[in-house]
Amino acid sequence: MTVKIFDTPQVQDFLNTVAGFEQAGGSDRAKRIIHRLLADLYRLIDDFDVTPEEFWATVSLMNELGKGSQFGLLAPGLGFDHYLDMRMDAEDEARGLSGGTPRTIEGPLYVAGAPEAEGVARMDDGRDPDGETMWLTGLVRDTDGQPVAGARVEIWHADSKGGYSHFDPSQSEYNLRRTIVTDAEGRYAARSIIPSGYGVPEGSPTDRVLAALGRHGQRPAHIHFFISAPGHKHLTTQINLAGDPYTWDDFAFATREELLVDGRVIEEASEAEQRGLEGPFTEVVFDIELARTEAQELQSRHKRPRALEESTD
Ligand code: MBD
Ligand code: FE
């Protein structure tokens, strides 16, 4: 038998009590948000006749997600990260702050405190036997085309197996993570290895949620960037290496047409020599355009708990 009780005064009064509406203390915003969230969930339980078995299986799944620190992984899979991007894009548009290279999601695998270099850096530790040499370079300019010298370009990406240092204990500290400061011409350059795509760990709680939706947990090969410079809007973005089967089938919904980059294989020894490389390599060029702003709060990345980053609240 199915019953519907959500709209009764008893349930509505109960929700007000649970959300702390009758208490003087606490945060008004927290109360209103929790009230809405619980009301939506109570109604969902009523509408879908969620059984106690289903409810407690979900609680257990959430415990497992938490135990594995996987909420930050499930979030992009459920589109939250991209949804926040869509909201920030709309906000920029409304404030007349659009223009420049588009943003896309940070993801859960950034680690603060990577080594810094001026102009050029080597990012890989040379220990990935399948690592194919990549030369990653580009110019940072403002939206008027003026080069931005001294811009901080933070780059992080996966190895040839799709693993990220810090989270993959088999890699050395800060492998494939660097901060490069652009030179007088606004250029950054990195020697690294071509990253592989990422896959959500098989059988993990995140994987099980995606499987229930008939979805996979794969990301195309990509490289993450934070770019910042005084007087310019902080940019969080990624590039995708073109030709990946998951380019338009990213479980994290981060692909944007403007951020697709074609790697160019270069065989000439003279070209390698110019860059201090020993053999054939793939050159990946990503030029970045930063929007100008005097607003200080738009010039740095948003606060978020991150690995090895001191929390600020
Ligand atoms: C990643 O490498 C990533 O960038 C995202 C968004 C989610 C999981 C793994
Ligand atoms: Fe990633």
Side-chain angles (χ1 to χ4, degrees), residues 163-303:
Y164 283 80
S165 65
H166 185 85
F167 303 95
D168 165 10
S170 80
Q171 292 185 46
S172 61
E173 202 185 17
Y174 289 115
N175 191 35
L176 313 179
R177 301 177 184 277
R178 287 296 182 277
T179 297
I180 305 172
V181 178
T182 55
D183 66 15
E185 278 75 56
R187 180 169 296 282
Y188 70 94
R191 170 183 179 162
S192 197
I193 56 169
I194 302 268
S196 287
Y198 170 92
V200 166
E202 235 174 279
S204 66
T206 300
D207 190 40
R208 300 207 311 269
V209 174
L210 296 171
L213 306 177
R215 293 178 44 199
H216 63 71
Q218 301 299 315
R219 294 211 63 207
H222 61 279
I223 300 167
H224 296 268
F225 290 81
F226 283 150
I227 307 103
S228 61
H232 298 80
K233 206 172 64 166
H234 178 275
L235 176 64
T236 299
T237 196
Q238 302 179 28
I239 53 173
N240 285 319
L241 304 182
D244 193 294
Y246 291 106
T247 298
W248 294 109
D249 192 17
D250 176 7
F251 101 97
F253 308 103
T255 307
R256 300 184 75 148
E257 189 76 55
E258 307 93 311
L259 301 172
L260 273 176
V261 175
D262 246 317
R264 189 166 65 96
V265 179
I266 300 181
E267 315 255 359
E268 290 90 344
S270 61
E271 294 284 333
E273 223 167 278
Q274 272 175 31
R275 295 165 181 79
L277 307 174
E278 294 87 44
F281 62 100
T282 300
E283 183 165 73
V284 175
V285 177
F286 178 46
D287 293 331
I288 297 153
E289 246 184 58
L290 296 181
R292 298 195 55 89
T293 179
E294 289 311 316
Q296 210 64 42
E297 70 278 9
L298 298 178
Q299 296 185 19
S300 49
R301 59 185 179 234
H302 62 258
K303 285 191 192 110

Side-chain angles (χ1 to χ4, degrees), residues 23 27 39 45 55 57 59 83 137 149 154 156 192 243 298 310:
Q23 306 303 320
S27 143
I45 290 171
F55 179 82
V59 168
Y83 182 60
T137 187
E154 285 199 69
W156 69 103
S192 197
L298 298 178
E310 272 131 70

Side-chain angles (χ1 to χ4, degrees), residues 131-146:
E132 293 173 45
T133 305
M134 170 174 76
W135 186 256
L136 171 62
T137 187
L139 286 170
V140 179
R141 298 194 194 90
D142 65 20
T143 39
D144 297 324
Q146 292 304 307

